[in-house]
Amino acid sequence: MKHEPLAIAMISDFFHPNVGGVENHIFMLSANLIRRGHKVIVITHSHPPDRVGVRWLLPGLKVYYIPFPAIASSATLPNYFTFLPYFRVIIAREHIHLIHAHASLSSLGQEAILHAHHLGVRTVFTDHSLFGFEDAASILTNKLLAAALKNVDAVICVSHTGRENTVLRGQLFETSEDSSALVVRPNVYVIPNALVAEQFTPATKPVSSETIYIVVLSRLAYRKGIDLLVATAPRICSAFPNVNFIVGGDGPKLNDLLQVRERHLLQDRIELLGPVRHRDVRDVLVRGSIFLNTSLTESFGIAILEAACAGLYVVSTRVGGVPEILPHDMISFAKPEEDDLIRALSEAVTIVSKGQHDPIEAHQKVKNFYNWGEVAERTEIVYDAVIKSEQKDLWTRMQRTMELGPFAGPIYTIILVVDCLFFLFLEWLMPRHDLDFVQMHWEHHNFRHVVQ
C-alpha cells in the first residue's frame, strides 16, 4: 500500500553520537522512512565540545542539535518553554506534518508533544522502556508521562508487556461506550524493534565446544542485573572448568566485577573488555557460544536479538518483554534469582556442548522475524491513521489535561495555557512569513543515481 510522503521530525534526548537501543531505533527507522519516500529530520540536544547546529548523516538524515546541555544520562532538564522558540522555527521552516517523540525520559520529546498542537502538527510517541510505580522517581516520571500523553495522537510500544506498562503509567484508557468499564485507548500500538541481520552473521568457522565462552554485553548497572552476574560467574566457573566469561560494557558496577574476579582468582576466566563500540559488537559476540542477559527490567532487549542473530544460544531472566523476542528453542529463561540463573546457564552449557544449537539456523530465523523495512511499513500505517484522525482543539486538550487529578490537572493546564500564550507572542514577535523556509530537501533516489 502506497502512503502519501510526509515530513516527519524525530525528537528525543537520545541520539547519535551516543550509542544505545533508542538511538539506534531512531536512526534505523528514519533511514528506512527516507528510503520509502518520506522527509525525516531529527531534533536532539547538543553534545560537547562542538556538536551543535545542523549535521547530516547518511542516507540524507538532517539532524538539529539544539544548544541544550544534558544534565544526566544524556537527558536534558525539563523546562517546557525554552524549547518552544527553537521548535517553532524548525517545524515551520521544514514544513513538518508530524512529530515522533521517543523515550519516556526525554524532556525534549514530551515538550514537543505539548508544543506541536499549536502548529497543527500531529503527534506520535514511542515508549522504549519499563518503569515501576512505587519509588519516588517512578511516580514523578509517570506523572510527567501521563501529562504528555493526554493529548498525543498515537502511542507505539516495542512489546506487548511494554504496552501494558505504558498504558498504566500514561493512563491511556477511557470509558467504554456503555460506561460500564475502562478500556485501552484504540490509538496504542505495538511495533517491535528490529536489526540489520547482515551485520550480525555467525562465525565463519564453528566455535570450539571444548572451551565454552559466555558473552555479556551490557551497561554495568544495577538495572541490568550485574549483581546477579557477580554472584553467578564464580559458581559457573567452579562447576564448569571449560566455561569462561567475556564481559563488555562500562558502568558503576564495573568495580564489583573487578573485585569478584580478584577474590576468586579468575583473571584468566573472566575477561573484561570495557566499553565496546557498536561496530565491534558482532566480533565480540562470535567469540562465544552463549549470550547472558541478567536484566531486572527490559521492554524489548535488542542485545538479545543481536546475539541470537549472531548464532549464540541465549540465557535471560524472564522479565518484561523478553519472552516475546525469541522462540523457546533459542533461549532459556530464569527467574531473576541466583540459583535459578545457575540452573538456566547449566542447561545452556549442556545444550551447546552436545551440539543441539545450530547458529546458522538461528540466524535465518531472526533474519525472517525482524527487519527494519517491515517496522517502517507498520509505522507508516500508524502515521496514516494519525493524519486522518480528527485534531483536538484547545478546549478539548484543556479538559483532558484536567483529568490528571486535583493537583496535577490544574498545574499542567496552566502550563498548557501559558505555553499557548507564549506561542502567540512568538507569532507576533517573529512572524512566519519572515522565516527562512527550506525549499528543497534530500532526494534519496537522486543521490543513489549520482553515486551509481
Side-chain angles (χ1 to χ4, degrees), residues 212-413:
I212 296 174
Y213 287 93
I214 298 175
V215 179
V216 179
L217 289 175
S218 169
R219 174 164 168 74
L220 306 181
Y222 170 78
R223 181 172 169 268
K224 294 297 183 179
I226 302 305
D227 290 332
L228 279 173
L229 176 62
V230 168
T232 55
R235 291 179 58 182
I236 289 294
C237 289
S238 176
F240 299 96
N242 65 326
V243 173
N244 295 339
F245 283 82
I246 301 173
V247 181
D250 196 7
K253 291 290 183 179
L254 176 60
N255 284 336
D256 293 358
L257 280 170
L258 289 168
Q259 289 173 9
V260 76
R261 189 173 70 166
E262 295 287 336
R263 188 183 309 121
H264 295 275
L265 303 177
L266 295 172
Q267 288 87 345
D268 60 333
R269 305 283 301 280
I270 301 177
E271 181 181 357
L272 300 178
L273 302 178
V276 178
R277 292 174 295 185
H278 190 262
R279 66 171 178 263
D280 298 328
V281 167
R282 183 261 176 191
D283 295 333
V284 175
L285 288 172
V286 296
R287 292 176 58 189
S289 303
I290 298 171
F291 181 80
L292 174 61
N293 172 64
T294 56
S295 291
L296 302 180
T297 174
E298 196 76 72
S299 182
F300 184 82
I302 191 66
I304 294 174
L305 201 58
E306 292 172 349
C309 190
L312 278 70
Y313 187 82
V314 178
V315 175
S316 176
T317 46
R318 188 187 288 273
V319 295
V322 173
E324 302 175 27
I325 301 175
L326 295 172
H328 290 288
D329 61 337
M330 298 173 62
I331 186 170
S332 290
F333 290 108
K335 299 176 183 176
E337 301 170 356
E338 180 182 339
D339 291 338
D340 203 44
L341 191 59
I342 294 289
R343 175 202 58 77
L345 281 170
S346 301
E347 176 184 303
V349 169
T350 302
I351 290 173
V352 171
S353 299
K354 293 181 178 180
Q356 297 175 353
H357 178 70
D358 184 357
I360 303 300
E361 182 183 350
H363 173 78
Q364 289 299 325
K365 284 184 178 180
V366 174
K367 185 176 180 179
N368 294 333
F369 291 157
Y370 299 97
N371 69 83
W372 281 110
E374 183 179 338
V375 170
E377 184 177 351
R378 293 170 65 177
T379 305
E380 275 184 325
I381 296 173
V382 176
Y383 291 166
D384 189 56
V386 166
I387 293 296
K388 292 178 179 177
S389 65
E390 184 180 357
Q391 198 159 9
K392 304 178 185 69
D393 57 30
L394 177 60
W395 179 247
T396 302
R397 287 188 282 130
M398 290 173 62
Q399 288 180 313
R400 293 173 69 95
T401 304
M402 284 297 294
E403 296 172 359
L404 287 168
F407 297 102
I411 291 172
Y412 282 107
T413 303

Side-chain angles (χ1 to χ4, degrees), residues 86-143:
Y86 294 98
F87 178 83
R88 172 182 169 271
V89 170
I90 294 171
I91 297 301
R93 67 186 301 270
E94 292 283 354
H95 309 287
I96 298 298
H97 302 121
L98 179 145
I99 67 110
H100 190 162
H102 293 261
S104 299
L105 296 181
S106 171
S107 301
L108 294 180
Q110 294 191 17
E111 292 161 22
I113 294 172
L114 172 68
H115 304 323
H117 296 282
H118 306 324
L119 288 153
V121 174
R122 311 313 300 269
T123 56
V124 177
F125 174 78
T126 293
D127 196 4
H128 295 263
S129 303
L130 300 177
F131 288 90
F133 301 88
E134 297 179 350
D135 57 288
S138 295
I139 292 172
L140 176 60
T141 55
N142 291 347
K143 185 57 71 174

